[in-house]
């Protein structure tokens, strides 16, 4: 596992707007505080989300992109790549692998953070089928797609050279082996979640839920009482 000092750029790949903020926004805030450039790749526009029937469905993608952009800014992220794949119907297609590989070649990250392609039976909501598909496609994009010059030759035609990502951190895993203390970034994580106004009706309940679960992760990571953490499973892909 690389030390943060060895990392210049991190790319977070998630299925939906707001996934990044539930899963990793606290860690992102600590990374950008240290001068690491963090970029987001959001696979769908969350166009099957929202709860207000008075909002025309055609307006949802623009609303959710704007919310994710605002949430990103709160934790120091301004480079966002929206892929526009269909929400609720995501599969780890060759086209999705190519589109994520393209963003990897543009951003050239040492670390990719993505969703786990393995279903978490202890926390089934974290394993939405779109999350599993996005995680599977992201792992395929890291190895072998982004580093192989001979699969997606159209990316070479676009002037994008192969790039080998050194490590992948997976969210929503049942076996976390890397932990980030986010206690000092907790308020920014909540503010980022709050930026998703079309999704979150009760931020007080959300804050309690996120505090409970980051507190439980901190205990798994053997942090001191009262600390909060996000947990990941690290895969070496160097
Ligand atoms: Zn999601």
């Amino acid at each position: 596992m690389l030390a943060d000092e060895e990392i210049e750029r991190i790319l977070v790949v998630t299925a939906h707007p707001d996934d990044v903020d539930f899963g990793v926004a606290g860690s992102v805030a600590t990374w950008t505080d240290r001068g690491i450039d963090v970029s987001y790749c959001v696979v769908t526009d969350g166009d099957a989300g929202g709860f207000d029937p008075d909002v025309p469905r055609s307006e949802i993608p623009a609303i959710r992109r704007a919310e994710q952009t605002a949430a990103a800014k709160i934790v120091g992220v301004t480079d966002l790549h929206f892929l526009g794949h269909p929400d609720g119907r995501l599969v780890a297609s060759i086209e999705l692998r190519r589109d994520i590989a393209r963003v990897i070649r543009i951003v050239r990250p040492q670390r990719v953070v993505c969703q786990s392609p393995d279903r978490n039976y202890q926390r089934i909501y974290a394993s939405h089928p779109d999350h599993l598909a996005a995680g599977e496609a992201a792992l395929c994009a890291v190895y072998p797609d982004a580093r192989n010059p001979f699969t997606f030759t159209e990316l070479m035609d676009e002037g994008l050279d192969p790039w080998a990502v050194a490590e992948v951190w997976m969210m929503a895993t049942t076996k976390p082996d890397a932990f980030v203390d986010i206690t000092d970034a907790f308020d920014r994580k909540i503010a980022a979640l709050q930026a998703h106004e079309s999704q979150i009706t009760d931020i007080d309940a959300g804050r309690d839920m996120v505090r409970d679960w980051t507190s439980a992760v901190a205990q798994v990571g053997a942090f001191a009482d009262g600390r909060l953490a996000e947990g990941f499973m690290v895969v070496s892909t160097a």
Side-chain angles (χ1 to χ4, degrees):
M1 190 172 117
L2 295 173
D4 283 349
E5 292 69 34
E6 300 173 84
I7 304 276
E8 294 170 85
R9 294 174 302 278
I10 294 173
L11 174 65
V12 184
V13 182
T14 56
H16 308 118
D18 81 17
D19 292 344
V20 59
D21 297 302
F22 278 109
V24 66
S27 304
V28 168
T30 70
W31 293 330
T32 58
D33 283 351
R34 288 178 199 162
I36 298 172
D37 289 328
V38 179
S39 301
Y40 292 170
C41 173
V42 185
V43 170
T44 79
D45 290 328
D47 42 297
F51 50 82
D52 185 348
D54 294 334
V55 176
R57 300 308 300 176
S58 59
E59 291 179 12
I60 299 286
I63 290 170
R64 299 210 64 187
R65 287 188 184 204
E67 289 172 347
Q68 184 63 80
T69 303
K73 202 166 172 212
I74 292 166
V75 292
V77 177
T78 55
D79 184 41
L80 291 87
H81 303 257
F82 294 99
L83 300 186
H85 281 250
D87 184 16
R89 288 171 285 154
L90 202 63
V91 289
S93 65
I94 289 294
E95 291 74 21
L96 178 55
R97 286 168 53 174
R98 179 202 56 208
D99 290 350
I100 297 172
R102 177 184 288 114
V103 177
I104 289 172
R105 290 192 187 187
I106 292 170
V107 174
R108 302 165 77 82
Q110 289 82 23
R111 178 185 295 158
V112 162
V113 182
C114 67
Q115 289 159 314
S116 173
D118 299 318
R119 186 168 272 112
N120 181 339
Y121 290 104
Q122 278 73 49
R123 207 151 61 77
I124 196 78
Y125 295 135
S127 297
H128 186 290
D130 285 355
H131 298 186
L132 306 182
E136 174 66 18
L139 280 169
C140 295
V142 166
Y143 173 76
D145 300 335
R147 67 187 64 185
N148 186 341
F150 305 114
T151 38
F152 299 118
T153 51
E154 59 268 46
L155 298 183
M156 298 295 281
D157 296 340
E158 293 171 25
L160 297 170
D161 290 330
W163 180 258
V165 176
E167 64 184 25
V168 173
W169 288 29
M170 294 192 301
M171 301 182 260
T173 171
T174 52
K175 293 190 179 65
D177 51 16
F179 300 88
V180 178
D181 186 324
I182 63 148
T183 316
D184 298 335
F186 183 75
D187 289 345
R188 277 182 286 168
K189 180 180 173 84
I190 297 303
L193 281 166
Q194 203 164 6
H196 299 278
E197 289 173 355
S198 69
Q199 304 304 302
I200 293 164
T201 45
D202 186 349
I203 192 62
D204 292 325
R207 183 186 295 109
D208 290 345
M209 180 186 77
V210 174
R211 184 180 286 113
D212 285 350
W213 109 52
T214 53
S215 174
V217 171
Q219 285 174 10
V220 176
F223 290 87
D225 274 357
R227 305 305 290 181
L228 306 171
E230 291 167 343
F232 309 88
M233 182 174 146
V234 180
V235 181
S236 174
T237 54

